[in-house]
Amino acid sequence: MKPAWLSKLENPWKQNPWFESVAVAQERARRRLPAPVYGALVAGSERGQTIEDNQAAFAEIGMAPHVVGQVSERDMATRVFGQDVSFPVLISPTGVQAVHPDGEVAVARAAAARGTVMGLSNFASKSVEEVTATGANTFFQMYWTGDRATMIQRMTRAHDAGVKGLIATLDWSFSMGRDWGSPEIPEKVDLKTMVRLAPKVAPKLRWLWQFGRTGELPDLTAPNLAPPGGQAPTFFGAYYEWMTTPPPTWDDVAWMCEQWRQISGTPFVLKGVCRVDDALRAVDSGVDGISVSNHGGNNLDGTPAAIRMVKPIADHVGHQIDVVMDGGVRRGSDVVKALALGAKAILIGRAYLWGLAANGQAGVENVLDALRGGVDSALRGLAVGSVHELSPEHLLVPDGFHHELGLPAKAHLAAQQ
């Protein structure tokens, strides 16, 4: 057994790795990461109106606790998109997780260890084969990029790797107009780039030390977009492919659903739904689930917080498909609020990336544990024995809170009933 002083010498930045909240994970990530890397995690588009509302909206909702009648055990397990999960928090797909050398593999291992679903991005820094090999129940996320033959090839590869479902993101964009300036994302990380960025990276020796132990530089390529036998494109190469692909129609959504059904037969989820009419069209197109999401405030600024849109959408289609929510969740009570308003589960993005930056796989597990503890505490206070018992009656929601966007014509509504 190594003496403590020797372990400290080998890693002079070692500290108590445990943290009690997502907020602490974020602060540790801020201290550890170079400014451009941390900036890429927290940035939103334009003035940042949507990213701010994603979190602020949760604070507008109150709870209605009981003083007596709490139950001694609370059941948080649920089933979503055909998968049994230990509690209703899923990993949202996010691109290029170079905040830690193990990237998406560490996140997948954490998801498997905590009994939840791993979402893997098209733009991930680790291959779908590496991620599914962890044993995590993985959903592969695709953008509408490339021609149809290329999309079918990527679907087939994901299915062959053993994924449990497909998540389609069709309205993604990369904002070029952030009021405070966009964080720099280099084409690739090589020695020349490291020298140029040295003034920003050098102060973060702990982060450099992590990568130095592996002998590898941060990888900004997208291996899941590599053609058979070919080379993985860079992030900007993948972005160029997206920019030059004509945007999809609802007929294209139906085609994508049908192709995935023939290839895999597992659930097809559409991410980024904000409007009731789009949710109804998604059901008509054959999707198995939707994620009410504004992509973390990185798309069209001014889009309402996801929590404001989830109840109207769940009220219209939640009896037909699984409706989940993605955006602004930072604590277990946020999860409970979303569930009470009709979400089957929620997805987290920035929260687990901060945990990953703070302490790798263990940091992601720590974030999931903190959220689970918060869910349990809220259920206890509400005297609720199961997440399935939650309803709007457990909340204090101010007038005008819900944003019912894109209400369809009455004739269409009648046809759906």
Side-chain angles (χ1 to χ4, degrees):
M1 182 175 180
K2 293 180 181 178
W5 66 267
L6 180 57
S7 297
K8 191 71 174 179
L9 182 63
E10 291 175 348
N11 181 2
W13 304 282
K14 190 175 183 180
Q15 61 179 341
N16 180 7
W18 183 83
F19 43 83
E20 63 178 311
S21 68
V22 173
V24 176
Q26 179 179 0
E27 175 57 20
R28 290 195 182 178
R30 185 192 66 79
R31 294 201 308 260
R32 180 181 293 265
L33 296 173
V37 179
Y38 179 73
L41 294 186
V42 298
S45 61
E46 295 188 331
R47 73 175 68 190
Q49 177 180 339
T50 294
I51 189 173
E52 290 180 5
D53 195 35
N54 267 352
Q55 296 179 63
F58 279 105
E60 296 180 25
I61 303 174
M63 298 278 203
H66 284 283
V67 67
V68 175
Q70 290 85 1
V71 294
S72 58
E73 295 183 5
R74 278 77 59 190
D75 180 16
M76 287 177 272
T78 191
R79 186 172 177 83
V80 60
F81 303 146
Q83 299 298 312
D84 292 319
V85 294
S86 65
F87 79 126
V89 174
L90 317 178
I91 298 295
S92 184
T94 62
V96 191
Q97 295 176 14
V99 298
H100 188 276
D102 295 335
E104 293 83 0
V105 170
V107 177
R109 288 172 178 156
R114 294 301 184 263
T116 192
V117 166
M118 166 69 183
L120 179 69
S121 172
N122 241 168
F123 287 2
S125 60
K126 304 294 183 183
S127 71
V128 63
E129 292 82 7
E130 290 177 277
V131 170
T132 55
T134 65
N137 287 337
T138 303
F139 274 55
F140 185 64
Q141 178 260 353
M142 283 183 59
Y143 297 105
W144 183 263
T145 62
D147 58 28
R148 289 191 169 191
T150 299
M151 293 182 210
I152 290 174
Q153 177 267 319
R154 290 169 181 164
M155 290 184 205
T156 302
R157 176 182 172 183
H159 166 68
D160 291 345
V163 303
K164 305 296 184 181
L166 191 75
I167 300 173
T169 302
L170 307 181
D171 60 332
W172 174 76
S173 65
F174 185 74
S175 174
M176 300 302 289
R178 295 183 171 98
D179 286 3
W180 51 88
S182 296
E184 180 180 2
I185 301 176
E187 180 74 10
K188 61 180 179 178
V189 179
D190 52 17
L191 183 59
K192 182 179 179 181
T193 303
M194 293 292 284
V195 170
R196 180 170 58 82
L197 296 178
K200 296 179 180 179
V201 175
K204 305 298 181 179
L205 294 180
R206 285 184 295 178
W207 185 74
L208 283 174
W209 180 79
Q210 280 185 320
F211 282 93
R213 292 178 63 190
T214 69
E216 298 178 0
L217 296 173
D219 188 359
L220 299 184
T221 60
N224 295 308
L225 297 181
Q231 187 174 3
T234 64
F235 176 88
F236 286 103
Y239 181 65
Y240 176 79
E241 182 184 77
W242 171 78
M243 288 184 66
T244 55
T245 302
T249 65
W250 282 109
D251 287 340
D252 292 324
V253 176
W255 172 85
M256 203 174 189
C257 283
E258 182 58 28
Q259 294 303 313
W260 181 248
R261 189 162 286 114
Q262 291 179 17
I263 291 169
S264 177
T266 58
F268 181 99
V269 181
L270 180 62
K271 186 176 187 291
V273 178
C274 297
R275 299 168 54 109
V276 172
D277 51 358
D278 280 352
L280 292 168
R281 291 294 299 269
V283 172
D284 292 343
S285 299
V287 307
D288 300 291
I290 58 175
S291 174
V292 179
S293 169
N294 51 44
H295 306 296
N298 281 309
N299 252 20
L300 181 61
D301 198 31
T303 305
I307 190 66
R308 299 188 190 278
M309 302 182 289
V310 69
K311 187 178 187 299
I313 291 174
D315 285 349
H316 281 96
V317 302
H319 60 291
Q320 297 173 278
I321 60 174
D322 285 349
V323 176
V324 300
M325 195 215 78
D326 185 347
V329 171
R330 299 292 185 268
R331 51 196 61 83
S333 59
D334 295 342
V335 177
V336 167
K337 291 172 183 178
L339 299 179
L341 294 179
K344 193 75 174 288
I346 66 94
L347 295 95
I348 56 171
R350 289 181 175 91
Y352 77 79
L353 289 175
W354 291 326
L356 178 66
N359 195 29
Q361 176 185 340
V364 179
E365 293 175 4
N366 196 155
V367 163
L368 292 171
D369 290 344
L371 292 174
R372 184 184 183 92
V375 171
D376 186 62
S377 178
L379 293 180
R380 181 185 176 102
L382 294 170
V384 171
S386 168
V387 293
H388 301 287
E389 298 173 20
L390 291 167
S391 71
E393 285 68 35
H394 292 107
L395 306 178
L396 301 173
V397 182
D399 292 340
F401 178 84
H402 303 298
H403 289 5
E404 200 168 25
L405 309 180
L407 275 177
K410 291 183 178 179
H412 193 177
L413 273 177
Q416 298 296 317
Q417 296 173 350

